[in-house]
Amino acid sequence: MTLILIAIGIAAGVLSGMFGIGGGIIIVPTLMYVAKMEPQQAVGTSLGSLLLPVGILGAAAYYKAGFIDIRASLLIGAGLAIGAYFGAQVSLHVDATTLRKAFAVFLVVIAGKMWFS
């Protein structure tokens, strides 16, 4: 299981560095289907892994190239902190099946928007 978790982290790190994705798109579904976690545990574990400065090296590379808006990053970070708290509160009161289906709908909608735009 340790190697699987490290592999999930590496995959999410590479994709995060390339596309700015990771937690919700890569880590959570992989934890649910490969590590057999319930949605709430997968989300909590993903958020726990993101507490560490996992994006610091990728962010440093983008900063050196002039591609980071510091003000926007700080404001989004503040919103993420507040939103993650309230999202967790909602998630903790929704059964796993409903949460899994809602997440699937979210992914399909985003994929459709990207495909057709």
Side-chain angles (χ1 to χ4, degrees), residues 20-85:
I21 62 171
I25 303 296
I26 303 301
I27 298 172
V28 171
T30 306
L31 288 175
M32 287 169 45
Y33 295 107
V34 176
K36 307 295 186 212
M37 290 184 182
E38 289 296 325
Q40 292 90 338
Q41 185 177 13
V43 170
T45 301
S46 175
L47 289 172
S49 73
L50 297 171
L51 285 174
L52 301 172
V54 296
I56 194 73
L57 294 177
Y62 281 102
Y63 179 79
K64 282 175 60 175
F67 289 112
I68 289 188
D69 181 328
I70 298 295
R71 181 177 178 277
S73 294
L74 293 173
L75 291 171
I76 291 168
L80 280 169
I82 295 164
Y85 173 79

